[in-house]
């Protein structure tokens, strides 16, 4: 802002002071400088005032003023600012919703992966149980006849003999051997011999009393465990089983 004053005597000795209402806190001493410079004024209404002083220190009685309006830039307007704030808010909400959707998608994918892995582990567990059951069966069952093998027979025998002795109960063990079984293998073949062993085991197992155990001891030998059977009762049972075998021809 340039300003000047009229003086008929020594105009170069004039001194000035000014202020910008709304910006300056008080009068600014300018000396003999005849302009004021303001930069970066915030938007608003201002009034620029200036006074001159003679070389004798006498101040002019008039104060000249200039009203100044600094219009806001387009980005400083309230509507634009509120619009920008709203846009930022919408962007923030959009980002949050996108992130939440992404997290939900990740959680869903993780849940599906966990569910799939759980099913796989359950299938593996079931398969392991099945294999363990087969292994347990193989360790205690004769693979040809399906009866108890020697290992299972001896384990059961040791357990039940100790219990029978402690309770003073009768217990019988019958060892059976098929006579001339080698002739069947030699004349009819081993496949027929295997069928004979299998059919004998099935026939006798169906007619054994509850609690009894029939197993293949080895080759053509079978072992029958009979809890609560004395010698006479065990002999009668075996005669009945032999009669069933003779009648099955």
């Amino acid at each position: 802002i340039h300003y000047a004053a009229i003086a008929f005597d020594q105009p170069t000795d004039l001194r000035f002071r000014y202020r910008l209402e709304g910006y300056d806190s008080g009068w600014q001493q300018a000396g003999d400088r005849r302009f004021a410079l303001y930069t970066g004024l915030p938007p608003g209404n201002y009034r620029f005032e200036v006074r001159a002083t003679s070389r004798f220190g006498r101040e002019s009685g008039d104060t000249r003023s200039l009203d100044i309006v600094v219009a806001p830039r387009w980005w400083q307007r309230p509507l634009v600012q509120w619009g920008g704030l709203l846009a930022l808010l919408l962007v923030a909400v959009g980002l949050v919703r996108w992130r939440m959707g992404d997290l939900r998608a990740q959680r869903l994918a993780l849940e599906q992966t966990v569910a799939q892995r759980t099913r796989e582990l359950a299938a593996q567990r079931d398969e392991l149980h099945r294999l363990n059951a087969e292994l347990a069966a193989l360790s205690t069952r004769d693979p040809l006849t399906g009866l108890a093998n020697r290992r299972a027979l001896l384990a059961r025998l040791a357990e039940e003999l100790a219990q029978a002795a402690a309770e003073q109960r009768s217990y019988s063990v019958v060892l059976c051997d098929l006579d001339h079984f080698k002739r069947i293998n030699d004349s009819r073949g081993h496949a027929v011999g295997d069928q004979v062993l299998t059919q004998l085991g099935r026939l006798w197992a169906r007619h054994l009393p509850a609690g009894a155990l029939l197993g293949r001891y080895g080759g053509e030998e079978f072992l029958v465990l009979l809890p609560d059977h004395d010698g006479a009762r065990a002999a009668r049972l075996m005669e009945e089983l032999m009669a069933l075998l003779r009648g099955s021809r």
Side-chain angles (χ1 to χ4, degrees):
I1 303 173
H2 292 265
Y3 49 83
I6 297 176
F8 295 101
D9 183 25
Q10 300 295 328
T12 57
D13 292 336
L14 291 177
R15 298 292 182 265
F16 298 90
R17 61 175 181 163
Y18 62 83
R19 68 180 177 183
L20 184 64
E21 288 187 358
Y23 184 81
D24 290 328
S25 59
W27 289 92
Q28 306 296 318
Q29 299 298 328
D32 60 352
R33 191 177 73 246
R34 286 170 166 74
F35 69 91
L37 180 64
Y38 291 93
T39 60
L41 287 177
N45 298 324
Y46 302 92
R47 171 168 289 185
F48 179 77
E49 296 179 336
V50 62
R51 288 183 178 180
T53 303
S54 67
R55 63 190 180 94
F56 301 107
R58 186 174 62 219
E59 189 175 65
S60 64
D62 294 334
T63 299
R64 295 293 182 241
S65 62
L66 175 66
D67 292 330
I68 300 173
V69 177
V70 179
R73 301 293 180 93
W74 66 268
W75 66 82
Q76 295 174 324
R77 295 174 182 173
L79 183 60
V80 175
Q81 291 180 345
W82 282 107
L85 181 61
L86 180 60
L88 289 177
L89 182 60
L90 291 177
V91 170
V93 171
L95 289 176
V96 170
R97 295 185 63 180
W98 172 81
R99 182 55 178 166
M100 291 180 64
D102 184 60
L103 290 176
R104 281 195 296 267
Q106 292 182 11
R107 184 187 65 184
L108 180 60
L110 181 60
E111 290 176 351
Q112 292 176 349
T113 302
V114 171
Q116 178 64 25
R117 185 55 180 162
T118 301
R119 289 192 294 269
E120 293 175 356
L121 290 176
Q124 293 176 2
R125 180 196 60 198
D126 295 341
E127 179 67 12
L128 182 60
H129 288 170
R130 186 186 66 80
L131 293 176
N132 286 336
E134 290 183 0
L135 183 61
L138 289 175
S139 65
T140 59
R141 293 290 173 182
D142 176 59
L144 175 62
T145 62
L147 301 175
N149 60 15
R150 178 191 293 237
R151 177 182 178 183
L153 288 169
L154 295 180
R156 174 84 171 267
L157 178 60
E159 180 182 349
E160 291 186 347
L161 275 180
Q163 185 177 1
E167 298 176 357
Q168 296 184 351
R169 293 186 291 105
S170 299
Y171 196 94
S172 294
V173 180
V174 182
L175 180 63
C176 306
D177 181 78
L178 298 184
D179 293 336
H180 312 298
F181 183 72
K182 187 175 182 301
R183 295 180 184 177
I184 299 176
N185 286 334
D186 293 342
S187 60
R188 300 295 182 90
H190 288 275
V192 175
D194 292 345
Q195 292 182 9
V196 170
L197 297 176
T198 302
Q199 293 300 325
L200 182 145
R202 292 176 179 174
L203 177 65
W204 281 8
R206 288 198 301 267
H207 293 84
L208 283 176
L213 178 64
L214 172 66
R216 186 182 180 192
Y217 193 71
E220 66 273 17
E221 296 177 338
F222 292 86
L223 198 66
V224 186
L225 307 183
L226 298 170
D228 299 318
H229 282 63
D230 56 15
R233 186 180 176 188
R236 288 194 299 271
L237 174 63
M238 295 310 300
E239 288 295 336
E240 295 173 0
L241 295 179
M242 292 301 296
L244 288 173
L245 185 60
R246 285 190 293 269
S248 63
R249 297 180 186 180

